[in-house]
Amino acid sequence: MSTALVARPSPGTQVAAGPAGVMPAPRRRGLFRRVGSLRHTSPGRLELLLGLLVTLGVLAGLLAGITGAATSAGTSDLGDRAQPLLVEAETIYSALADADTTAAQAFLAGGLEPAALTQRYNDDLERATTAISAAARLTADGSEGAASVRALSNGVARYSALVATARADNRQGLPVGSSYLSAASDLNRQTLLPQAQNLFRTAQRGVHDGYRSAASIVWAGLLVVLILALAGALLLAQRYLSRTTHRTFNVPLVGATALTVVLAIGTVFVLVGQSSHLDQADKAGSTPVAQLAEARILALRERGDEALTLAAHGSGSQYTADFADASAQLTTALGNRYFTDDLRDKHKAYLAVHDKVSSLDAAGSYDDAVKLAISTPTGQTFEAVTAGIGSALDERKAAFNEQIHAAGRGLGLLGVLGPIAALAICVLAGMGIRARLQEYR
Amino acid sequence: MRTRIGLAVVGTAAILLALAGCSGDSSALPGSATAPAPGATSPAPAAAPDTSCNPRASLKPAASLPPPGHMPAGTYMAKIQAQGRLILGTSQDTLLFSSRNPFTGKVEGFDVDMGRQIAQAIFGTPDKLQIKVIGYDKRVSSAMDGSVDIVADTMTANCKRWKDVNFSSIYYEAGQKVLVSSDSKAKSIDDLGGKKVCAASGSTSFDNIGKVKSKPIPVAKAAFGDCLVAFQQNEVDAISTDDTILAGMAAQDPYAKVVGSKFTEEPYGMAMSKSHPEFTAFVNAVLAKNRADGTWTATYKKWLGAFGPAPTPPVAEYK
């Protein structure tokens, strides 16, 4: 390996400066011959051995540094950017969906908008805008996610302007207010929510990639191979020395070997630890977070469809169809192990109330259907579902943070101590072989 | 500014009195073009004449009305009585005709009252009415497929629609005009060449915009309320539909005015399925009674009284 690096014959005439400061073309052939001729003499063979050990040591040190930096950067990117972006995307979606539902319910209530609904709408908008600005910081310029964030922040401004106009018209008793509200709702459902969903998908892909780059399999693999090669080379060197000289042990080389073993054990320990914590972060954190977030999105879609079906007053068959679709998906989603039976029961309770609302509406008791749909008990029944999902979501987020924090532990140390250990190995190898070389002077 | 709008409204009302036209739905159903009534006295609409029928002529009314709550067995009215309510298909954003009252959340207006009067005749109480909001482009199909019992939704009776549904006798006469912003110099739709003019998709108004010689650009929205939103957001330059609907919009926007004279005539009828003609005859009898006993005039005053004194009700024509 060292000969290859130090004296690789040039295939062409044009040669750039090589890694080991290779001579210009005309002299290379001479250098190669000189290095090649080293193997014919005992001191020459020792020099070659030294070169091999030092090269392997330097490369192992370099790779330890790179691996430490890559895995630690990947892990903190996953923990500080990719996963939080997923959470923000879900917040944007649920806040906007809830704002739309709230606005539709206020419309259904008729008359003066109930103060509680106004407050809720304002809170939703605040949550959405806060999450959008947080997401803006978490997306790279020019990325797909950044485009979604831009569309969202523009759209939310237009959305809130339309709702404000609808409210002003409503206060003056102008029926056009309801048209503004439906324009706002269209903007929300046809532009904003799909963009939020797009951001959510982008973030999900980001998390997936994040796990890959956090593991940095290629660098970690190369590092392990090199450390093994270094250990092997050290052992071979010692066998050669004990055969050609009369000393059984070369103390500095034994030290170098011991240090290499320590480095190998440390590296494997850190990397295996990281990978098991990453696995845990994925299994106990990211995967359930994504599932729960999707479930909350579906639940909010149900409630929104219910309000819009009523607001459309008979022309809302597309909302009824969307409700059926969301509810089927949610029932399937709730079937997996991240959800409790309690949550499934709460969702069933809400579906029962919704069925009552639909049958009242279908039987012509529109006013009663509206009254039931926007009543406080119905609101509480539904919120029990989202709140249940929300608290499960918080638990999973905490689990993720804990695991990702644990996964990051020791990676920085590998990046710093790895190269230092490699340097020490090189120095020890140099000391051990130089002592033998001096015997030939 | 206020007085000018007042004048515009008064002008609208004056023309209303003369005789009016409509916003119909021109659902994509096969059939020939809209036709002016041969007997009509007002100027011919821009549509290609279709004299295949007299759209104003409906079925002869029932000789006598059964007492409320005792509909003859086997009739469609008995079926409605059994289902416990009359299902009326209408819109919720046509101010004065059928719009949602923001204070109460109830849909109300001239068209809704027409439905309430039919409910009154069937049940003895006008409240046994279920309102089902339908899209403008669903008016013909909703009446045909029985998803509603009757459609009263500023719907023009024309020969094309007569092929698919039965219309009641004419209960209102409207005509198409154009609404522009108060600082517009346009005097009529002819001055709006190349400008965007909005109408509800599926309405005859939308088709009529395309027939104007100066070639305005027709823009379709789901409902007329959406047209007003687009107008207020400067997405379109004008809205063109029946004078009555426009008057309702102008009343909501002090920066809008209705200009020009009616360039179509739109007689409104209530649409019902062809499969039970006895219901159409029944509805015509109810309308005839209400014309005679002043109910029609009272309804006009209630919703459209602001535009001037009530005209005489449209004269019913029968086949």
Side-chain angles (χ1 to χ4, degrees), chain B residues 100-173:
Chain B
R100 184 181 174 277
N101 182 329
F103 297 118
T104 62
K106 296 247 187 296
V107 179
E108 56 186 33
F110 192 92
D111 279 342
V112 176
D113 275 6
M114 288 292 132
R116 286 171 66 84
Q117 286 157 19
I118 314 278
Q120 167 84 42
I122 299 176
F123 298 100
T125 161
D127 293 327
K128 295 210 166 169
L129 181 76
Q130 179 188 348
I131 288 178
K132 199 164 173 184
V133 173
I134 53 178
Y136 259 64
D137 50 356
K138 294 278 188 303
R139 291 180 296 183
V140 170
S141 60
S142 300
M144 278 173 81
D145 65 17
S147 56
V148 299
D149 296 321
I150 188 165
V151 174
D153 190 8
T154 61
M155 188 171 181
T156 305
N158 61 31
C159 291
K160 181 180 164 189
R161 291 175 182 157
W162 260 110
K163 293 192 167 75
D164 299 306
V165 292
N166 277 345
F167 279 101
S168 70
S169 59
I170 303 309
Y171 69 89
Y172 193 86
E173 295 275 4

Side-chain angles (χ1 to χ4, degrees), chain A residues 107 111 176 180 311 313 315 367, chain B residues 92 100 102-103 106 133 232 252:
Chain A
F107 166 80
V176 73
Y180 270 95
H313 210 144
S315 54
D367 293 343
Chain B
Q92 61 176 341
R100 184 181 174 277
F103 297 118
K106 296 247 187 296
V133 173
Q232 292 183 345
Q252 296 182 65

Side-chain angles (χ1 to χ4, degrees), chain A residues 107-111 162 165 169-180 182-183 311-315 361-364 366-367, chain B residues 83 85 92-93 95 99-107 129-135 224-226 228-230 232-233 251-253:
Chain A
F107 166 80
L108 283 174
L162 285 171
T165 312
D169 283 337
N170 194 49
R171 275 212 97 99
Q172 296 177 66
L174 303 177
V176 73
S178 68
S179 299
Y180 270 95
S182 78
H313 210 144
S315 54
D361 187 26
Y366 177 77
D367 293 343
Chain B
Q83 84 186 4
R85 62 192 190 278
Q92 61 176 341
D93 59 355
L95 189 65
S99 71
R100 184 181 174 277
N101 182 329
F103 297 118
T104 62
K106 296 247 187 296
V107 179
L129 181 76
Q130 179 188 348
I131 288 178
K132 199 164 173 184
V133 173
I134 53 178
F224 279 108
D226 300 324
L228 184 55
V229 171
Q232 292 183 345
Q233 308 264 310
Q252 296 182 65
D253 186 350

Side-chain angles (χ1 to χ4, degrees), chain B residues 22-317:
Chain B
C22 133
S23 96
D25 113 38
S26 65
S27 322
L29 286 163
S32 50
T34 313
T41 48
S42 28
D50 174 1
T51 48
S52 66
C53 79
N54 173 5
R56 288 162 199 272
S58 182
L59 312 186
K60 286 211 168 49
S64 64
L65 281 171
H70 298 88
M71 294 298 118
T75 61
Y76 192 70
M77 293 79 82
K79 205 188 138 232
I80 294 171
Q81 192 185 320
Q83 84 186 4
R85 62 192 190 278
L86 173 73
I87 303 175
L88 172 75
T90 189
S91 60
Q92 61 176 341
D93 59 355
T94 314
L95 189 65
L96 305 179
F97 277 81
S98 54
S99 71
R100 184 181 174 277
N101 182 329
F103 297 118
T104 62
K106 296 247 187 296
V107 179
E108 56 186 33
F110 192 92
D111 279 342
V112 176
D113 275 6
M114 288 292 132
R116 286 171 66 84
Q117 286 157 19
I118 314 278
Q120 167 84 42
I122 299 176
F123 298 100
T125 161
D127 293 327
K128 295 210 166 169
L129 181 76
Q130 179 188 348
I131 288 178
K132 199 164 173 184
V133 173
I134 53 178
Y136 259 64
D137 50 356
K138 294 278 188 303
R139 291 180 296 183
V140 170
S141 60
S142 300
M144 278 173 81
D145 65 17
S147 56
V148 299
D149 296 321
I150 188 165
V151 174
D153 190 8
T154 61
M155 188 171 181
T156 305
N158 61 31
C159 291
K160 181 180 164 189
R161 291 175 182 157
W162 260 110
K163 293 192 167 75
D164 299 306
V165 292
N166 277 345
F167 279 101
S168 70
S169 59
I170 303 309
Y171 69 89
Y172 193 86
E173 295 275 4
Q176 190 164 349
K177 286 194 180 180
V178 65
L179 175 141
V180 291
S181 81
S182 57
D183 58 0
S184 167
K185 292 193 176 58
K187 295 263 189 293
S188 77
I189 194 156
D190 298 324
D191 301 330
L192 292 172
K195 302 268 191 212
K196 287 182 188 157
V197 181
C198 185
S201 60
S203 67
T204 49
S205 308
F206 181 75
D207 299 345
N208 290 338
I209 296 169
K211 291 171 191 158
V212 172
K213 285 194 187 68
S214 60
K215 299 238 177 296
I217 304 161
V219 175
K221 294 278 173 187
F224 279 108
D226 300 324
C227 276
L228 184 55
V229 171
F231 175 75
Q232 292 183 345
Q233 308 264 310
N234 290 326
E235 280 171 38
V236 298
D237 302 293
I239 306 170
S240 182
T241 181
D242 303 350
D243 46 4
T244 44
I245 301 174
L246 292 181
M249 291 187 195
Q252 296 182 65
D253 186 350
Y255 293 99
K257 62 179 180 187
V258 179
V259 295
S261 51
K262 284 190 275 197
F263 58 94
T264 63
E265 67 180 55
E266 315 282 349
Y268 291 172
M270 287 181 261
M272 287 151 279
S273 166
K274 271 182 177 310
S275 59
H276 33 258
E278 77 277 10
F279 185 45
T280 308
F282 175 84
V283 167
N284 282 345
V286 174
L287 284 174
K289 177 182 145 280
N290 289 345
R291 274 188 207 100
D293 68 7
T295 310
W296 188 92
T297 309
T299 311
Y300 184 96
K301 277 190 187 145
K302 181 177 172 193
W303 297 108
L304 305 160
F307 303 131
T312 49
V315 178
E317 293 176 39

Side-chain angles (χ1 to χ4, degrees), chain A residues 379-420:
Chain A
Q380 282 164 350
T381 310
F382 175 73
E383 263 147 47
V385 180
T386 47
I389 299 177
S391 62
L393 205 49
D394 287 341
E395 277 169 33
R396 294 303 186 166
K397 277 186 230 168
F400 172 84
N401 285 336
E402 196 183 304
Q403 292 298 337
I404 209 76
H405 187 74
R409 226 176 278 148
L411 294 175
L413 224 54
L414 174 66
V416 176
L417 290 187
I420 292 177

